[in-house]
Every structure is written in C-alpha cells, then in structure tokens.
Amino acid sequence: MKNKPLLLVFCILLSLFSSASEKANKKEKLVKITYEQYSRGKLIPNKEILLNCANGFVKLSNPSKVESFFIDYNSKAVVKVLDIDSTQYKQIKPFSELAVAKETDEKQTILGFECKKASFVIFSNRIDVWYTTETKFKASPSLSAIIDNGLILKYVANGNRTIQAKAIEYVKDDMQYPQENVPEINQARYRELIIKSRYITIPVFDKELINFQGDITNPKEEKLNHTYRFSKGTVIMKKIKLPKLDSEGNVFVKLTNWSNGDAYDRTGCVFTLADDKKKSILTALKNGKEELPLYLDKQGTEYQGVVSTDDYTVPTELMRFFTSFGVGHFNNKRPINRYHWQDSVVYKQDISELISTDKDELWIGVFIGNYDKSGHKVSLELDYYPPFEDYPAKEKFIKPLFYTLNIMEAEGQNYGRMFKNDTLSMTFNIDTDIKNPQLLFTTTGHGGWGEGDEFVPKVNQVFIDDELVFRHVPWRSDCGTYRMSNPASGNFNNGLSSSDLSRSNWCPATLTQPFYIPLEYLEIGKHSIKVTIDQGDDEGSSFNHWSVSGIIVGNK
C-alpha cells in the first residue's frame, strides 16, 4: 500500500501521454478550396486554383511539373519545393519578409462568411484581399499576400484580376508535405534554377577563337559537334543536334563576345544553311569561293554568292552583330576614372521565324571580319522557350533571297559595292500559299571616313514586282549608350569617342535588328525584287559598301 501514490502518478502520466499521442496522431480532415479567376470581370475558363489545407499546412495547385508550393502556418513561412533531375531543393521565406497588410473597415460576405478587407503593395502592385477568421483553418491563393490568422477568399490585383473562392469542401485525399531532409537554398539560387528549368539551352560554341591565321585542316568526314574553322579562321561552324521543338515556341540565339587582342569594331554574323538540298556557303567554305555563283553589276564587277539561284541558296542570317572596341582584353590597358568597362558583350535575339522545328540537325556558324592574329572569342547557344499553351503545329516558310555580307572576305569574296551604279536585282519563285508573308530586311552601311556611308544617312528602298514596299533611312543615333563596352575606342579633341558616333544602322557592341516588311499580296508564282541604296562616292582607295540580307518568312 505504500506504493499507491507512485502507482497513481504513473497512471496519470500514462493517461496524459496516451491522450497527447492520440491527439498528435489524429489528422485534421483535408479541406479543399476551389478558386475561380476573372480578368476585368470576365471568367477565365479552365483556370481554377485548388488549395488543400490540413494541420496548418496549405498546398497550392501548380501546373508546373517541377515546383510545389506550400504555406506553413505553424512555422509562419512560405515553402517552395523544386524537383529537377530527380534532385529536390526547397526555399523557405518567413511571413516576416512578406508585404505587410493594411487593414480597412470594409466588409463583404463570401460563401456565407463575413470577410474583412486588407490591402498590400507588392512590387508597385496594389493587392486587395477579403479574409475571414470564422473558420479554424487558414489559407491564401497567393504566396505573397498572406493573412497569418485568416482565410483569404478573394484576391484582387490592380483592380482588374480577381481570384475568388467558389467552393469549400472536406475530402478524403491525403496531402504530401515537404520532406524534412530536402536541402534548403537561398532565394537567388532558387530563382536561377527555376528559370533555367523552364527552357532548353542548346550549347554551340564555348569561348571559341575567331581570328586571322594561316592554313587550317578540317576533318574530311562530317562530324556532329565538331568545330570547323574556315576562311583563314574568320568563320567557325558546327553541326548540332536539335531536341524536339514545338513550332509555336520561341527560339533565341545568344552570343557572348570578348576581344582576344583585336581592338576594333568588326562586322559579325550568326548564320545557318537553308534546308533545300542546294549548294550553300558551306560548299564554298570547303572547296573555295569558285563554288559561289557570280552576280555582275552594270560595270561588269563580279560579286560571289550574293543572290540565291536555281542551284545555290545564300546563308540564312540569324543575327547581325558588331564587335566592340576591345571589350575584355583592353579593359586594364585603357583605365579611365569612373569608367567601369564591361567584361564582355552579350547579344540575344528572337529568331523563331528562322528556325525550322521539323528537323533534328542544324549547321550553324559565326563570322567576324578581322585580320588580327589574336582576334576574338565567342560563346554561342540557342535558347528554346516552349509555348504558353498548346497550339496547332504550323509549318514554317523560310526563303533566303539575297545576302551581300561577305562571309568569305578572307578568301577574296567581294564587298557589296554594287549599289553605286546599279540595283541589287533578282527573281524568285513562290510555289506554295504563305500565311502572313514578310520580308526580313537587314541593312548596314559601311565606309569608314568622314563622308563615308557609315557616317552619312542614306535612303534604302525595296521593290517587289516593281512596287515600292519599303523606303527608309536606316540610322542609329544611340551609339553613346554602349560606351562602357568599348574600352579601346579613342577620344577626340571635342570629347566624343569613336564608339559614340551615329552610324548607318549599327553601333559598336550592338546587334542590328531586321526590318519586318509585310507582303500581304505575295501570291504563288514568279516575282522580282530590287534593292536600291543611295550609295556615296568612293574616296581614293576607301570605298563604300552595304551589307544587306533579305529572307521571306511566313507559315505554309
């Protein structure tokens, strides 16, 4: 009987432990909340947001295959879980780092619950929410606007986008919680990984040298992913494998350029080959410029490979770019107080119209016109971004017509000087119906002295079937914007630098965009095209020339 008090204490403790254990193991019923979305008062069909709530956790529906979103009201934090290549990461953001709500006196009844209104300002956006404290569970359809003691039933962004709960129900499903052992990463790293997971990067070149040198030997057999060097080292090419691409996605070309010792601004391009089984610039690069068909102007001057013919197709220019005055290499050789030189120049351009998505291999090349042994280095990639929604596949129409940029300059291919005494004229055939046909016309003027075409505005005109479809003075007056990419550019006695000067549609360290010329009435049959340019007079041994490219694009 002396042990009765101890036994009583033990029984009480056992009872308390069992009660706590049962309570801990007892799960709340899973609550599912369905929200509808509206834009400017109109319902957006098939865009419902679903939340699952239980035990102080909320899981938000997300169409992404790699992300899961949670709100943890127990530890007062937002949790994002990323699953890439079978590896998981999580990023945790406490409520204390979120925007703070400003309470108002407004009220509204939603689904039978009295709701209070609160407002947030998030990245200059006004967010109004209506929340209730009449339920034992808490939730929000947003990871940014959270009331830590309430259930948000309505969310309005900038007065025109609304998310509103339409149903609350108990369900029998279970909810998967983020695993404790998933490594945590910071917000910056998470954002980097999630952005990269959304698109496909297709690497082409990695700091490849483009320079002027002597004899080069390439493999005789055609190899995938091998860098071929042509035209005394001023052209590099590679045949790459393409993943399966959706025709409605976006394809960008991204080129990064560093000077490897060349101090001057040079013309460059990224190009590919037409998929029409005709001769191409690759044929000439392998066998010599004699493979290129000749074009004669009125004075009998020969120009090699500037127009497409029955058995030859000019290169398809994906990007026209201009190197800087010595970025990277000359940064420490030309220090100027308060001038913070860029390490490299990055050019990125949407080329979706120019990449056929129905082939799995692609030849791609880069040219930089230079006579410098040290030259330049370039990295190149293609970035493919899937479409936002599923669209019917479309077959692209891509027809390169003319190209006067002399990619084989180092092998003697002539400059585009024919415009002084002639037009650039040719005929071409359209053998299929084209939807939304356009001519992509890229033009840059060159002649590097005071009165040269590089520095004097000149009229460009394009005629289709003798009808004027384009008349414009291509000119860039924003070149001073890119001063920090041009460390080797000299400074004149009036304070201007060479890289600041306005030019005929180009600047050092920039790319040149094509003009999009609509051709609504381009029908099946034979057509003519003429390009006229008000090219100026030569001065002694200095001459003017124009690099022009014309490609018809559309959908079949």
Side-chain angles (χ1 to χ4, degrees):
M1 298 297 294
K2 291 182 179 179
N3 293 328
K4 264 190 175 182
L6 292 175
L7 183 61
L8 181 61
V9 170
F10 176 76
C11 291
I12 291 171
L13 288 174
L14 181 62
S15 174
L16 289 173
F17 176 80
S18 300
S19 175
S21 178
E22 286 176 13
K23 189 174 181 180
N25 290 325
K26 185 179 180 181
K27 291 185 178 180
E28 290 182 7
K29 288 184 179 179
L30 186 65
V31 177
K32 184 173 78 171
I33 308 174
T34 305
Y35 293 80
E36 293 178 320
Q37 296 195 64
Y38 298 81
S39 177
R40 303 185 186 280
K42 294 184 178 180
L43 177 67
I44 305 175
N46 304 316
K47 288 294 182 181
E48 291 183 344
I49 296 174
L50 302 179
L51 304 187
N52 286 337
C53 314
N55 302 311
F57 257 103
V58 176
K59 183 177 182 181
L60 286 74
S61 62
N62 185 16
S64 170
K65 296 179 180 179
V66 298
E67 272 190 298
S68 300
F69 296 151
F70 298 87
I71 303 174
D72 183 356
Y73 285 91
N74 301 309
S75 60
K76 297 187 182 301
V78 171
V79 182
K80 297 180 180 180
V81 179
L82 184 62
D83 192 337
I84 297 180
D85 298 329
S86 300
T87 302
Q88 285 191 323
Y89 307 91
K90 68 182 175 185
Q91 189 249 314
I92 300 174
K93 189 172 186 178
F95 288 177
S96 59
E97 295 181 11
L98 301 178
V100 178
K102 182 178 180 181
E103 299 289 340
T104 73
D105 295 328
E106 294 184 49
K107 294 182 180 180
Q108 189 177 137
T109 300
I110 302 172
L111 295 179
F113 296 102
E114 183 180 80
C115 297
K116 301 175 183 179
K117 180 182 176 182
S119 296
F120 301 84
V121 176
I122 303 173
F123 285 101
S124 300
N125 296 293
R126 178 183 172 86
I127 308 298
D128 298 317
V129 302
W130 282 260
Y131 71 95
T132 183
T133 56
E134 294 181 352
T135 69
K136 64 180 180 180
F137 50 88
K138 295 163 282 190
S140 171
S142 165
L143 296 179
S144 302
I146 292 174
I147 303 293
D148 63 4
N149 65 337
L151 165 64
I152 293 176
L153 294 175
K154 185 177 179 180
Y155 168 107
V156 181
N158 298 318
N160 55 36
R161 177 173 171 261
T162 300
I163 302 171
Q164 183 163 334
K166 76 168 187 177
I168 300 175
E169 56 187 320
Y170 288 98
V171 293
K172 293 183 179 180
D173 296 336
D174 199 4
M175 182 167 71
Q176 298 297 317
Y177 299 94
Q179 297 298 315
E180 291 287 339
N181 58 353
V182 173
E184 183 180 348
I185 57 177
N186 63 29
Q187 193 175 63
R189 175 63 173 154
Y190 185 94
R191 285 175 175 165
E192 177 192 16
L193 289 174
I194 189 59
I195 290 173
K196 284 187 175 180
S197 75
R198 292 170 177 165
Y199 67 94
I200 299 171
T201 296
I202 306 164
V204 184
F205 299 117
D206 182 19
K207 288 195 172 181
E208 289 279 0
L209 182 64
I210 299 180
N211 66 340
F212 186 79
Q213 63 183 67
D215 292 336
I216 296 169
T217 302
N218 289 308
K220 292 183 179 179
E221 67 278 10
E222 193 174 282
K223 294 183 178 181
L224 269 173
N225 297 316
H226 177 84
T227 299
Y228 292 80
R229 298 173 60 78
F230 298 111
S231 197
K232 294 184 169 56
T234 61
V235 175
I236 57 175
M237 292 195 74
K238 182 179 283 188
K239 189 177 185 180
I240 61 171
K241 195 84 174 173
L242 291 178
K244 184 172 177 58
L245 306 177
D246 190 307
S247 63
E248 290 301 299
N250 292 90
V251 183
F252 281 72
V253 60
K254 178 182 176 182
L255 182 134
T256 306
N257 173 235
W258 301 262
S259 168
N260 195 51
D262 185 10
Y264 285 97
D265 51 335
R266 309 291 190 182
T267 306
C269 72
V270 182
F271 65 96
T272 186
L273 310 177
D275 189 24
D276 57 9
K277 299 181 181 179
K278 296 181 183 179
K279 282 186 179 180
S280 68
I281 191 71
L282 180 59
T283 314
L285 288 167
K286 289 179 177 179
N287 303 324
K289 71 177 189 298
E290 294 74 24
E291 296 280 356
L292 298 171
L294 295 179
Y295 179 93
L296 297 158
D297 66 14
K298 289 180 179 178
Q299 292 185 342
T301 304
E302 294 182 348
Y303 300 92
Q304 303 92 352
V306 297
V307 298
S308 294
T309 65
D310 291 339
D311 59 2
Y312 170 80
T313 304
V314 298
T316 303
E317 186 178 65
L318 303 178
M319 174 195 285
R320 177 89 51 88
F321 69 92
F322 292 85
T323 69
S324 73
F325 284 90
V327 74
H329 186 85
F330 291 90
N331 289 13
N332 297 327
K333 296 177 173 58
R334 188 68 66 83
I336 304 174
N337 193 36
R338 299 176 187 267
Y339 280 51
H340 304 291
W341 305 123
Q342 297 294 314
D343 170 69
S344 60
V345 177
V346 179
Y347 315 82
K348 189 168 184 176
Q349 184 173 346
D350 189 344
I351 57 167
S352 303
E353 303 95 339
L354 298 171
I355 296 293
S356 176
T357 52
D358 58 358
K359 57 183 180 180
D360 57 6
E361 292 181 347
L362 180 75
W363 274 100
I364 191 165
V366 181
F367 158 74
I368 295 178
N370 72 106
Y371 289 91
D372 189 276
K373 185 177 181 180
S374 298
H376 301 257
K377 285 186 177 180
V378 298
S379 291
L380 184 72
E381 68 184 44
L382 299 179
D383 295 327
Y384 168 71
Y385 302 85
F388 293 105
E389 298 181 15
D390 291 331
Y391 297 98
K394 295 179 181 178
E395 186 178 355
K396 296 179 183 179
F397 181 90
I398 307 167
K399 189 176 184 67
L401 298 180
F402 54 84
Y403 195 47
T404 66
L405 175 54
N406 50 341
I407 287 175
M408 294 184 64
E409 174 188 358
E411 298 286 357
Q413 186 183 14
N414 207 350
Y415 293 85
R417 303 170 60 183
M418 70 282 290
F419 300 102
K420 178 60 184 173
N421 52 63
D422 203 353
T423 61
L424 177 66
S425 304
M426 64 172 295
T427 59
F428 63 94
N429 284 304
I430 299 295
D431 55 9
T432 186
D433 285 321
I434 311 172
K435 296 178 182 178
N436 304 315
Q438 299 180 86
L439 175 68
L440 301 192
F441 178 64
T442 307
T443 177
T444 53
H446 308 267
W449 67 97
E451 296 303 314
D453 282 14
E454 182 174 321
F455 301 109
V456 179
K458 298 290 183 179
V459 176
N460 282 224
Q461 298 181 102
V462 178
F463 298 83
I464 300 280
D465 298 331
D466 295 321
E467 180 181 347
L468 180 67
V469 296
F470 179 81
R471 177 182 170 85
H472 186 70
V473 177
W475 191 246
R476 289 284 294 270
S477 58
D478 61 334
C479 296
T481 304
Y482 309 98
R483 182 68 181 95
M484 293 304 103
S485 295
N486 291 281
S489 176
N491 189 265
F492 302 126
N493 57 13
N494 67 348
L496 276 174
S497 295
S498 176
S499 62
D500 298 335
L501 298 176
S502 300
R503 288 170 168 83
S504 287
N505 208 32
W506 65 276
C507 299
T510 69
L511 58 81
T512 293
Q513 299 273 14
F515 294 100
Y516 284 68
I517 305 171
L519 304 175
E520 297 97 333
Y521 305 109
L522 194 66
E523 298 177 344
I524 293 176
K526 189 174 183 178
H527 300 273
S528 66
I529 187 167
K530 291 189 291 188
V531 180
T532 69
I533 299 174
D534 185 21
Q535 183 175 302
D537 294 328
D538 297 341
E539 185 176 304
S541 60
S542 299
F543 57 87
N544 294 300
H545 66 282
W546 284 79
S547 297
V548 298
S549 169
I551 308 168
I552 294 177
V553 298
N555 292 309
K556 295 182 181 180

